[in-house]
């Protein structure tokens, strides 16, 4: 886990304009509660959940100076309030910030940021219709940040539900601008208390650490899923040897043009992924000395963004004693967190002008490597565990010599030192049980006297602030000068996850045929419209062979794994069948600014006479941020009208929130540089949750504009991909996620294979 520093305290100098000299401790993850009454959330009748916990409020005050304050955040229904203290412990306490979540709220992960000698994980809240309305909160761990994203998503769903019911939502007018000098609104108390609160976080006494002796506090475990990817990978791993109890594998496939061979070490570490991730990323040399024999002495050279930095390290060859001199190295680190909670860290050798070769040291290159950290779900065990994989590339000739002669040189090499880090991590956590202990869930019964002040007294007569309005306001002088240092159940039985003996067997027995899908999703008693892709042309041509570059093709769905009929009970995934929709054409544009509503362009394929005869067209517009920007547009067609009561039919006419929660994409890089494969992965991604998706429903089409640039993580990954795009073959599968038993099994809407696309071939529009 990351080293959280000492507590954030707002000193008087902060009010005078200086950032207070604070160090950051762990901000607590949300507290989840529920109650049976729905009156507290706009009268919707839904069960209103409460999320609450300690966060850091980051911002700029009214005279333009930065601050970082520890605050207690409460989300109840669609109402949000921020307090100086825990209102559950101080009944009647008034919030210092309050507002409401609208259906236009967006929450973006900005990644890791260093704030006054401590690292935090920052979330940006903004209105997608008016991005000047924004604010930032931060947590000490990425897992906690993910919990807050889920909490705001629940509030957003509540707002969307109220809209569907016709409940008045005066904030839709978006008339209130950010008011840096805004006064606190008058408030009233909630009469109803919560039925119970399930504590998942820590109180401020755990956050406000008074001594550096208590740096290593435990993290709250997040129940991650740790199953495999949703597409078949090209790697074929063979066990080679065990070093220090850690298995070493080699990739025995023969990738085209490969200059080296891939090795990986795999081990089970007794900690949750958040904690392991923080330890791997930490630059605290005293901690690294306990598990890392090679890259323990690291220092930060430059922070590129919240998901990438450059570090410099030195090494004295006390153990790899065949080296003749001291070594130093520079490498970059990129990290991502998947929607399943798994972490990927990419490490590549780099150079930097701030760290030229050092006198007395020999500059060396660290092997390109990746960390993959995913939760290991073990039924019947309360101890967190995760599978840690370190993968690296080495010279084919060096590995071949070692295998033939089994010389001891490999045991004294940089690759061996890197692979041994997994064993070091395992023993480090085993020797430090405080790092892996989990806080028990505590059920706190509410009292009748407990009241939370969230809503405005004049809620019905005047608009209340949306939460980013309140969050974006600078802390008033009254807030800054006031004292910030005031005194501050059994888990629900989960489903047992049963692993299949073989995905292939499951695929043979449970695979859904295209004919069966068409019966449920399309109007089968209507005459099909003949759709001939040769009659439709995009500016990216269709591949004539596997080796045809800068082209596209339409593969089947057999390379993808999707949810089977019994997924809700045993998590079985099955081999995908043929796509329901037919891929007509692909366009590859370059533009100076973001290009929305492609289907409405006069020269669009959708506006042709032939396209207007097609019952339904799905347009996927992937907006790629770069210089210039690119648009990859795919057109899918149905030969029959869509059944309005089907899953696809509900998706077409549904709300944006419904679509965001269902629109899913599975990527798979078939050919390409191995580090790009690890960065992209093969896990299904709910695009509406990861990036901003805009939907256009008109006539016989639905267009989905996917703004990849709206996410810092997505921008970082796509930037890496663009660097190798001319040598990459990538498959994409598009589907609608099935969440209910009647919607299972899933089916694939459409697929596309992109063969070594050349950015220079993009057409200006």
């Amino acid at each position: 886990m990351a080293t959280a520093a000492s507590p954030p305290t707002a000193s008087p100098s902060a009010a005078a304009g200086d950032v207070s000299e604070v160090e950051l401790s762990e901000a607590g993850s949300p507290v989840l509660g529920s109650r049976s009454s729905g009156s507290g959330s706009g009268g919707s009748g839904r069960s209103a959940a409460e999320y609450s916990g300690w966060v850091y409020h980051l911002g700029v005050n009214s005279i333009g100076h930065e601050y970082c304050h520890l605050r207690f955040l409460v989300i109840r229904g669609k109402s949000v309030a921020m307090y100086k203290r825990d209102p559950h412990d101080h009944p009647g306490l008034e919030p210092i910030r309050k507002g409401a979540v609208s259906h236009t709220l967006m929450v973006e992960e900005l990644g890791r940021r260093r704030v006054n000698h401590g690292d935090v994980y920052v979330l940006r809240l903004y209105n997608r219709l008016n991005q000047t309305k924004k604010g930032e909160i931060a947590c000490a761990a990425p897992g906690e940040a993910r919990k807050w994203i889920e909490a705001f998503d629940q509030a957003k769903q509540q707002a969307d539900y109220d809209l569907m019911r016709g409940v008045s939502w005066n904030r839709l007018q978006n008339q209130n601008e950010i008011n840096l000098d805004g006064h606190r609104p008058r408030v009233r108390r909630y009469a109803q208390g919560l039925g119970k609160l399930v504590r998942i976080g820590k109180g401020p006494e755990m956050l406000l650490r008074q001594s550096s002796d208590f740096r290593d506090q435990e993290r709250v475990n997040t129940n991650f899923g740790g199953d495999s990817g949703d597409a078949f990978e090209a790697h074929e791993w063979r066990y080679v040897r065990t070093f220090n109890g850690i298995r070493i594998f080699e990739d025995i496939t023969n990738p085209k043009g490969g200059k080296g061979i891939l090795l990986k070490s795999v081990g089970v570490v007794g900690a949750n992924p958040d904690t392991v991730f923080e330890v791997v990323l930490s630059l605290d040399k005293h901690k690294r000395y306990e598990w890392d024999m090679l890259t323990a002495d690291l220092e930060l050279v430059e922070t590129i963004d919240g998901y990438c930095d450059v570090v410099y390290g030195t090494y004295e060859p006390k153990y790899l004693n065949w080296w003749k001199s001291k070594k130093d190295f520079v490498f970059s680190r990129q990290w991502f967190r998947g929607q399943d909670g798994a972490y990927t860290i990419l490490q590549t050798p780099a150079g930097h002008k701030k760290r030229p070769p050092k006198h007395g040291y020999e500059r060396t290159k660290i092997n390109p490597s990746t960390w993959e950290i995913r939760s290991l779900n073990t039924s019947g065990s309360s101890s967190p565990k995760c599978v840690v994989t370190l993968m690296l590339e080495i010279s084919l000739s060096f590995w071949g010599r070692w295998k033939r002669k089994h010389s001891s040189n490999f045991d004294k090499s940089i690759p061996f030192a890197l692979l041994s880090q997994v064993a070091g991590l395992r023993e480090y956590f085993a020797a430090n049980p405080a790092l892996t202990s989990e806080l028990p869930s505590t059920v706190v019964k509410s009292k009748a006297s407990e009241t939370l002040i969230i809503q405005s007294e004049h809620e019905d007569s005047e608009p209340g602030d949306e939460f980013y309005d309140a969050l974006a306001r600078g802390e008033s002088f009254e807030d800054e000068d006031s004292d910030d240092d005031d005194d501050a159940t059994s888990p629900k039985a989960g489903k047992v996850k049963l692993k299949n003996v073989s995905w292939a067997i499951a695929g043979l027995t449970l695979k859904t045929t295209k004919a069966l899908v068409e019966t449920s999703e399309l109007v089968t008693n209507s005459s099909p419209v003949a759709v001939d892709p040769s009659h439709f042309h995009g500016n990216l041509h269709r591949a004539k062979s596997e080796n045809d570059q800068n082209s596209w093709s339409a593969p089947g769905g057999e390379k993808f794994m999707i949810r089977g009929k019994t997924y809700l009970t045993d998590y079985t995934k099955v081999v995908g069948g043929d796509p329901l929709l037919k891929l007509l054409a692909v366009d590859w544009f370059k533009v100076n600014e973001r290009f929305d509503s492609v289907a409405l362009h006069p020269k669009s394929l959708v506006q042709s006479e032939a396209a207007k005869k097609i019952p339904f067209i799905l347009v996927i517009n992937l907006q790629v941020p770069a210089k210039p920007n690119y648009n990859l547009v795919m057109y899918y067609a149905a030969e029959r009208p869509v059944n309005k009561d089907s899953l696809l039919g509900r998706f077409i006419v549904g709300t944006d929130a419904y679509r965001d929660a269902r629109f899913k994409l599975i990527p798979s890089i078939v050919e390409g540089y191995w580090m790009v494969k690890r960065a992209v992965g093969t896990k299904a991604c709910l695009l509406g949750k990861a990036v901003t998706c805009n939907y256009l429903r008109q006539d016989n089409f639905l267009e989905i504009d996917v703004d990849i640039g709206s996410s810092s993580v997505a921008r970082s990954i796509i930037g890496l991909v663009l660097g190798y795009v001319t040598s990459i073959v990538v498959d994409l599968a598009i589907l609608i996620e099935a969440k209910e038993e009647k919607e299972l099994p899933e089916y694939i809407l459409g697929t596309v294979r992109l063969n070594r696309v050349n950015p220079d071939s993009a057409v200006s529009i």
Side-chain angles (χ1 to χ4, degrees), residues 732-743:
L732 302 176
I734 298 163
L735 57 157
I736 304 171
E737 182 166 271
K739 296 180 180 292
E740 301 176 15
E741 187 174 357
K742 64 181 180 180
E743 298 169 346

Side-chain angles (χ1 to χ4, degrees), residues 588-653:
W588 180 227
F589 298 125
K590 59 182 176 183
V591 291
N592 292 325
E593 297 181 357
R594 202 179 77 192
F595 182 22
D596 292 328
S597 306
V598 174
L600 296 182
H601 193 278
K603 296 184 179 180
S604 169
L605 176 152
V606 179
Q607 300 300 323
S608 67
E609 291 301 320
K612 291 179 180 179
K613 298 177 182 178
I614 298 175
F616 174 70
I617 298 176
L618 176 65
V619 182
I620 306 296
N621 176 18
L622 300 181
Q623 300 167 330
V624 182
K627 294 182 180 180
N629 296 316
Y630 297 97
N631 286 64
L632 181 70
V633 189
M634 296 161 285
Y635 306 88
Y636 296 92
E639 297 178 335
R640 289 184 170 90
V642 177
N643 184 347
K644 294 182 179 179
D645 296 326
S646 67
L647 179 59
L648 177 57
R650 295 195 300 274
F651 180 83
I652 293 172
V653 301

Side-chain angles (χ1 to χ4, degrees), residues 447-576:
K447 300 177 182 178
S449 60
E450 284 186 1
T451 55
L452 296 182
I453 305 174
I454 298 181
Q455 288 183 310
S456 169
E457 180 177 317
H458 305 293
E459 180 185 39
D460 299 329
S461 59
E462 61 183 19
D465 286 336
E466 292 185 41
F467 183 60
Y468 33 69
D469 288 335
L471 194 61
R473 284 198 195 98
E475 297 276 346
S476 66
F477 289 117
E478 177 186 353
D479 293 337
E480 289 167 353
D481 292 337
S482 61
D483 186 5
D484 272 335
D485 293 328
D486 294 334
D487 296 335
T489 89
S490 352
K492 183 178 179 180
K495 297 172 182 175
V496 179
K497 189 168 185 178
L498 303 177
K499 295 293 183 180
N500 297 320
V501 175
S502 167
W503 277 357
I505 295 176
L508 290 173
T509 57
L510 300 175
K511 182 176 176 181
T512 304
T513 64
K514 181 179 179 181
L516 198 59
V517 173
E518 288 180 343
T519 301
S520 61
E521 298 297 307
L522 305 179
V523 180
T524 54
N525 58 7
S526 65
S527 300
V529 175
V531 177
D532 187 353
S534 64
H535 294 165
F536 302 90
H537 302 283
N539 59 47
L540 192 66
H541 75 274
R542 185 164 190 157
K544 298 177 181 179
S545 68
E546 289 185 2
N547 298 322
D548 197 357
Q549 298 188 8
N550 198 38
S551 62
W552 65 270
S553 58
E558 64 276 0
K559 294 292 183 68
F560 299 97
M561 301 300 299
I562 58 179
R563 295 181 175 185
K565 183 64 178 176
T566 58
Y567 180 83
L568 297 181
T569 57
D570 59 12
Y571 297 93
T572 297
K573 290 186 177 181
V574 300
V575 177

Side-chain angles (χ1 to χ4, degrees), residues 95-98 176-187 456 462-465 469-470 473-474 476-479:
I96 59 173
R97 297 282 178 267
K98 67 180 184 60
N176 286 1
E177 300 294 333
I178 295 176
N179 182 3
L180 297 179
D181 300 315
H183 299 286
R184 299 180 187 175
R186 297 174 63 190
V187 296
S456 169
E462 61 183 19
D465 286 336
D469 288 335
R473 284 198 195 98
S476 66
F477 289 117
E478 177 186 353
D479 293 337

